[in-house]
Amino acid sequence: MIHNYTIDKQINHRSIRKFKDQHLLPEQLKTLYTVFSHTATSMFMQNASLLHITDEVKKKKIQELCNQKYVGAEGDLLIFVVDLYRNQQIRKQLGKDDGRVHTTDIFFQAMEDTLLAFQNVANAVESMDLGFVALGTVNDHPKKMLKTLALPKLTFPVLGMQVGVPDQEPQLKPRLPQKFTCFEDSYPQDFDVHDLKEYDQVVTTYYDLRDSNRRIDSFTKQITGAKLDEHETDRDELSELLHGQGLCLDWQ
Amino acid sequence: MIHNYTIDKQINHRSIRKFKDQHLLPEQLKTLYTVFSHTATSMFMQNASLLHITDEVKKKKIQELCNQKYVGAEGDLLIFVVDLYRNQQIRKQLGKDDGRVHTTDIFFQAMEDTLLAFQNVANAVESMDLGFVALGTVNDHPKKMLKTLALPKLTFPVLGMQVGVPDQEPQLKPRLPQKFTCFEDSYPQDFDVHDLKEYDQVVTTYYDLRDSNRRIDSFTKQITGAKLDEHETDRDELSELLHGQGLCLDWQ
């Protein structure tokens, strides 16, 4: 195992859900923007945008939709946006048709741009001894979120990030051993759930020791549990929403 | 602008397409696996897997499909895989139905896991003074690629990475000024393509100075050009392929 400043931060990553009551310094925010813009981008199309939410009314609405009290609270709230609007406007204003802007292919490339930019910013955050939590909950109620953010067609808020000065020191969450996730040459199709017995025990111990939230859950219990069980959720609006935004129109 | 070891690597990111004729050391590879596994993951589902391709026949096939001579050549080839197979197997082998595994919602969460892991590995790569290029071309011929990689249902190879010891020093590619990508509170819908005039000149100068590849292209020229123009491509197999893989089955 090789160690350096970057890698040591990466392997000590933990989600921070409690921040000190202070905002990012302008210089910190500027630095995150710079890192954002230097992320690798598919075909040099630069299909990602970033929203920094400071308006209190807007933050409150987003918090309600995400249903997590730390969203929009202490620290700063960023929303990472898949953005094909800008390039469509370039084409339109220069007299071209929309071309492939509405295809699933181009949407996926924009998802790549945006999610790579998210993690690039995340690593910059942790390199400055700040912390963050990824907010997948920005899509718990996709239609309402889109309205709250007042985003134009051809955009999609894929992931949020609450970022700030950590005010907690959570335990490192144990991940699947690499033999279950990293493979040489071919994907092994002989997965046997019994091989997870030891890892299940490690995860159970982790929850057992955790101060807050006394949930005691093995990994396989979570995968076989409510999260992945059939249930109704607004998150199933996603495909309809994307079509409404003019994205993935070729999807059959 | 704040500087530290991590951020200085990030803002100096450039794609490397020519590597020295040597492979990653086992310790470097192991380090990348460790960083991969410590990436933030949606709902702790750990829906990403990594393939390290060393088989010469397989590398050759992948190179042909990507149609880029550096793919599978010097250095090492990694394929980042959206993986819902593992969790479906856990549910199945423990007597549960597939639940929400086939939904667009869960697929998107797996995309997030996988692409965040990609960029995390990318930053680890550059922190070790190695270089990489992202290979979106793994989806230039999605069906053939899936067959070549012999991946099971409920998986999808979203992005590749060629990684190694850099054997070139490309110029830093100028990105869109932040006023076009990073916004406070609301997304400005008054974009005017004429405001890109200065940036277009910067990009043109960049191509002008570049040693290899004499293409001289402004940013808006690229966006209004062939990349985004209507054309037939196997990349439009994506939605059909995902359905074939049992993914996004609820997509209307």
Side-chain angles (χ1 to χ4, degrees), chain A residues 83-100:
Chain A
D83 188 353
L84 289 160
Y85 172 79
R86 185 166 49 243
N87 286 345
Q88 183 235 20
Q89 284 297 312
I90 290 174
R91 289 182 68 92
K92 193 176 177 176
Q93 295 180 23
L94 294 176
K96 295 275 293 189
D97 62 27
D98 288 356
R100 289 178 55 76

Side-chain angles (χ1 to χ4, degrees), chain B residues 20-79:
Chain B
K20 293 194 176 158
D21 191 11
Q22 58 193 85
H23 288 292
L24 294 182
L25 305 171
E27 201 185 8
Q28 291 173 323
L29 193 64
K30 171 83 182 164
T31 301
L32 297 182
Y33 287 175
T34 304
V35 167
F36 176 90
S37 73
H38 277 280
T39 311
T41 165
S42 189
M43 302 200 307
F44 196 45
M45 290 195 302
Q46 306 186 71
N47 285 325
S49 286
L50 188 55
L51 277 181
H52 176 225
I53 310 293
T54 60
D55 179 82
E56 291 302 328
V57 177
K58 207 167 270 190
K59 282 201 284 188
K60 192 81 200 159
K61 274 190 192 167
I62 295 170
Q63 186 185 62
E64 284 168 17
L65 291 174
C66 292
N67 196 26
Q68 290 162 321
K69 66 180 186 333
Y70 45 85
V71 174
E74 292 79 14
D76 286 74
L77 174 59
L78 301 173
I79 311 277

Side-chain angles (χ1 to χ4, degrees), chain A residues 39 43 83 123 175 187 227, chain B residues 39 43 83 123 187 227:
Chain A
T39 311
M43 303 201 308
D83 188 353
N123 286 331
R175 304 307 172 109
Y187 189 103
K227 288 182 202 178
Chain B
T39 311
M43 302 200 307
D83 188 352
N123 286 332
Y187 189 104
K227 289 182 202 178

